[in-house]
Amino acid sequence: MDEKNMSGGDRVLTNRQGHPIANNQSQRTVGSRGPATLENYQFLEKITHFDRERIPERVVHARGFVCYGEFEATGKIGDEPASKYTRAKLFQQAGKKTPLAIRFSTVIGGRDSSEVARDPRGFAVKFYTEDGNWDLVGNNLAIFFIRDAIKFPDVIHSLKPDPVTFRQEPNRIFDFMSQTPESMHMLTHLFSPRGIPASYRHMEGFGVNTYKMVNAQGETCLVKYHFHPRCGIASLTAEEAAKVQGQDFGSASKDLFTAIERGNYPQWDMYVQIMEDHDHPELEWDPLDDTKIWPEMDFPLRHIGTMTLNRNVEDFFNENEQIAMGTGVLVDGLDFSDDKMLVGRTFSYSDTQRYRVGTNYLQLPVNQAKNAKVATNLSGGTMSYRREMAPGQNPHVNYEPSIHNGLTESPVEQPNNPPEIHGRLTRSVLERRNDYVQARGRYCTMMDWERDDLVFNMGDLLGQCERDVQERMVWHFFLVHDDYGRRVGEKLGISADDVRKLGPLPKQILTDEDQRRLQNLGNNGDRIDPTVWGQWTSSVKNYKASAEEVLMGKLPNEGMTRSQAAE
């Protein structure tokens, strides 16, 4: 299809009120960086419909596995007292243990789909703290496909089965991705072996979004969360994954369940990256952009504790199907940033849980705040079985304020002094997009076998796509790295000369470096040199696992240290 004809005629996008949608790329925000505003009608209409597209299983992350454990704090953030950055109680004392539940999952497939499909893996942790629950809802990959939540239904629709054939179609996936340059970093991760972890025990976890910490003085900082497995990282090629899938759809759940049952408790070291709380104009990318990582050479990992998993569920339905996470579930000392994905997820997750599980999903045992008192004026709704009342509360008073023994506000409001925001209300993207530079860094920091597998997978799947999609994807790959574009292009019979005629996408903003690369497409002198990029997230050694090791339960139990980067 001619890209110049994609925006007009009788195919204008509208909402269900018949209103034409002139901007389907960005939420309405105060300035380009946010925060987002509640009257985002187009976003709210789109995301609330998306949240209700499937019953009863989850729209995304339908297949998953839950187990329990504990987090043990070091009392520090790196070499400094935790209190310097946050007043959150679970981090303050060395040796303090907080019980938790964790759900690992695949994203796109249904509840009975394969656990060795190429897919991001969910890595969602519910901490049962003394100040109430804290949910950290992340993935095994540090970044995401998009940077604005208004595009979330679109990216998932492109990855889900075709609404006519009900098959996951590469042509649909790459049609969307080819028009979404920001996805190149995530695609370079996902279609490498990191897209098929050998087991849940052998994968990293990331919060993905940018959050904030708040200390006792109300001072805030930006933060990214990491979990690194002590088992090490192990992944499968597509060929080995197909062998596993031919015998076992649930290999990852089996591996984790068996390990815990035999007392081989998996552990992850938890780290954070810290950044001052402002917009950082000195960086060539925006710290609130979920398609970017924070390079560790500039923002080092700081150890804050260890997570140990030591107990399996007793009932799959009650504890797995009904566990409900949400990015808005934060405790005192932790806060939101203006990350546009985080703002959208925070509305969507809780909305989804109320629809899927029910109005009173937080009364279920797996979702209850186990170590904090709960007293609310909420009552009624489907499947309500108790009122959450405080000792001595007047049962006639379910409102606030009242002078007749009702609930009262907390006597002390904790300080929080985030930056002051000024800006015009707008629908726009982040100015510092720089969609190719970090994908180039990832391509360079891969191990050789990972890079070979990435090229094979891209060539194989793009070979099933239409020519216009193939050409645009190869164009993007050349802007990422000469070797990337050349090797994938060779598998498709497409050279730099074949795609040189393509200009930037509509509304795409290229950096000066991108413009220079475009003028020399395929001849930019790129080298495979991981040392140029320093230590990057996910550039640690990745063990090349075999199907036999997965099926026989013989994956390694000892991993690599953070200092052992890709070879």
Side-chain angles (χ1 to χ4, degrees):
M1 182 185 295
D2 186 352
E3 290 180 337
K4 292 184 291 187
N5 295 326
M6 293 176 64
S7 59
D10 298 326
R11 302 189 308 280
V12 171
L13 177 69
T14 76
N15 63 20
R16 283 192 160 167
Q17 304 285 5
H19 304 159
I21 304 301
N23 188 333
N24 190 44
Q25 313 306 313
S26 303
Q27 299 176 63
R28 197 178 187 196
T29 56
V30 179
S32 65
R33 303 181 76 247
T37 57
L38 187 59
E39 81 281 4
N40 262 286
Y41 181 76
Q42 162 61 4
F43 167 67
L44 294 178
E45 288 291 294
K46 184 176 180 179
I47 200 69
T48 52
H49 183 277
F50 177 75
D51 292 343
R52 292 161 172 78
E53 285 185 0
R54 302 286 191 280
I55 57 171
E57 71 178 29
R58 292 167 170 87
V59 178
V60 289
H61 299 276
R63 173 146 203 168
F65 190 81
V66 168
C67 56
Y68 299 98
E70 62 186 17
F71 170 75
E72 183 173 350
T74 63
K76 295 184 177 182
I77 294 180
D79 296 328
E80 301 175 291
S83 59
K84 177 177 178 180
Y85 298 102
T86 179
R87 58 179 181 253
K89 293 178 182 176
L90 78 161
F91 296 128
Q92 299 305 311
Q93 299 172 7
K96 182 178 180 63
K97 294 182 179 181
T98 301
L100 59 85
I102 186 167
R103 187 174 190 268
F104 301 100
S105 57
T106 55
V107 176
I108 297 302
R111 191 170 57 188
D112 298 316
S113 59
S114 171
E115 288 187 315
V116 290
R118 185 174 305 283
D119 207 0
R121 282 357 184 227
F123 195 107
V125 189
K126 184 182 291 291
F127 298 85
Y128 299 106
T129 87
E130 63 197 276
D131 279 337
N133 292 350
W134 170 36
D135 291 353
L136 184 56
V137 190
N139 287 334
N140 72 310
L141 302 174
I143 37 83
F144 201 58
F145 299 95
I146 52 174
R147 57 171 67 96
D148 193 310
I150 199 171
K151 299 300 294 178
F152 189 71
D154 298 300
V155 68
I156 298 301
H157 282 168
S158 76
L159 293 163
K160 284 283 190 181
D162 185 300
V164 177
T165 67
F166 206 68
R167 291 185 68 252
Q168 193 178 37
E169 304 280 3
N171 196 58
R172 285 167 34 83
I173 296 170
F174 289 108
D175 177 32
F176 174 83
M177 303 301 176
S178 71
Q179 304 302 303
T180 311
E182 67 210 65
S183 71
M184 293 306 130
H185 192 195
M186 179 64 163
L187 294 179
T188 304
H189 280 76
L190 182 62
F191 287 88
S192 79
R194 299 300 176 94
I196 312 180
S199 83
Y200 291 139
R201 291 186 299 130
H202 293 84
M203 69 183 199
E204 295 170 300
F206 301 95
V208 181
N209 296 118
T210 300
Y211 289 89
K212 291 184 182 182
M213 286 181 165
V214 189
N215 66 16
Q217 292 73 45
E219 298 164 338
T220 61
C221 62
L222 301 178
V223 61
K224 290 270 197 181
Y225 296 101
H226 299 236
F227 294 85
H228 297 293
R230 291 191 174 178
C231 284
I233 299 168
S235 302
L236 293 164
T237 63
E239 181 181 8
E240 293 299 304
K243 297 175 186 177
V244 175
Q245 185 169 309
Q247 298 189 46
D248 190 347
F249 267 24
S251 58
S253 294
K254 177 183 177 182
D255 174 86
L256 184 57
F257 180 87
T258 302
I260 293 174
E261 287 298 296
R262 66 172 180 255
N264 180 17
Y265 299 145
Q267 292 186 306
W268 281 257
D269 285 303
M270 186 175 178
Y271 298 86
V272 292
Q273 291 176 287
I274 299 290
M275 191 183 295
E276 292 180 358
D277 188 7
H278 59 81
D279 59 0
H280 290 272
E282 77 281 1
L283 299 175
E284 60 184 7
W285 42 271
D286 197 300
L288 303 186
D289 185 347
D290 286 353
T291 70
K292 305 293 189 295
I293 64 165
W294 297 359
E296 293 169 22
M297 62 188 295
D298 301 315
F299 304 95
L301 295 178
R302 306 180 190 213
H303 192 233
I304 61 172
T306 303
M307 177 176 72
T308 303
L309 305 182
N310 54 25
R311 181 166 64 91
N312 283 310
V313 300
E314 296 179 359
D315 183 89
F316 182 86
F317 181 81
N318 285 324
E319 297 168 85
N320 186 327
E321 288 302 288
Q322 297 197 125
I323 195 171
M325 310 280 191
T327 56
V329 185
L330 302 175
V331 296
D332 182 54
L334 309 178
D335 203 354
F336 307 99
S337 76
D338 295 327
D339 179 335
K340 293 187 187 183
M341 281 297 297
L342 178 58
V343 172
R345 291 179 78 199
T346 295
F347 173 85
S348 178
Y349 273 60
S350 297
D351 181 55
T352 298
Q353 308 301 2
R354 290 187 184 92
Y355 166 70
R356 187 182 65 83
V357 184
T359 306
N360 291 293
Y361 73 97
L362 290 173
Q363 291 187 348
L364 297 172
V366 73
N367 297 321
Q368 289 176 5
K370 299 183 184 304
N371 294 312
K373 294 180 180 179
V374 176
T376 77
N377 285 324
L378 303 176
S379 62
T382 305
M383 300 298 289
S384 174
Y385 67 91
R386 62 185 173 87
R387 287 178 63 187
E388 297 150 340
M389 299 179 64
Q393 180 181 346
N394 183 345
H396 298 281
V397 178
N398 60 351
Y399 50 86
E400 189 281 325
S402 169
I403 58 175
H404 294 155
N405 297 323
L407 300 175
T408 62
E409 294 176 319
S410 175
V412 179
E413 185 172 355
Q414 297 293 336
N416 189 334
N417 307 314
E420 187 173 345
I421 302 295
H422 296 277
R424 184 179 296 276
L425 200 61
T426 181
R427 291 186 177 94
S428 58
V429 299
L430 299 174
E431 282 89 354
R432 290 169 286 163
R433 299 170 224 183
N434 213 342
D435 292 320
Y436 302 113
V437 64
Q438 290 204 358
R440 189 176 311 128
R442 181 67 193 121
Y443 191 79
C444 285
T445 56
M446 286 181 177
M447 301 174 72
D448 289 340
W449 76 275
E450 294 181 291
R451 195 179 299 109
D452 292 343
D453 195 55
L454 168 67
V455 170
F456 173 82
N457 294 327
M458 285 297 191
D460 179 52
L461 293 170
L462 283 169
Q464 304 172 49
C465 298
E466 296 177 37
R467 178 75 178 192
D468 55 352
V469 172
Q470 293 175 339
E471 289 187 353
R472 180 55 76 176
M473 289 301 299
V474 171
W475 183 87
H476 288 306
F477 294 156
F478 273 119
L479 282 175
V480 173
H481 197 284
D482 291 345
D483 189 66
Y484 199 178
R486 177 185 59 79
R487 292 179 65 184
V488 176
E490 285 175 352
K491 291 185 174 296
L492 303 171
I494 296 174
S495 68
D497 289 338
D498 294 325
V499 298
R500 204 179 305 278
K501 64 182 183 296
L502 297 176
L505 293 163
K507 300 183 181 180
Q508 184 180 7
I509 302 298
L510 297 181
T511 65
D512 291 344
E513 173 63 12
D514 293 338
Q515 294 281 7
R516 185 193 68 77
R517 294 183 62 82
L518 190 58
Q519 296 301 314
N520 301 289
L521 203 67
N523 297 295
N524 281 289
D526 297 330
R527 296 179 300 142
I528 305 295
D529 183 5
T531 62
V532 172
W533 300 92
Q535 177 67 43
W536 275 47
T537 297
S538 294
S539 61
V540 293
K541 184 174 181 178
N542 188 6
Y543 177 76
K544 187 176 182 180
S546 70
E548 181 182 13
E549 289 173 303
V550 173
L551 292 168
M552 300 298 291
K554 295 181 179 179
L555 290 168
N557 287 317
E558 298 299 328
M560 309 298 290
T561 66
R562 292 295 301 168
S563 62
Q564 293 172 293
E567 297 169 354

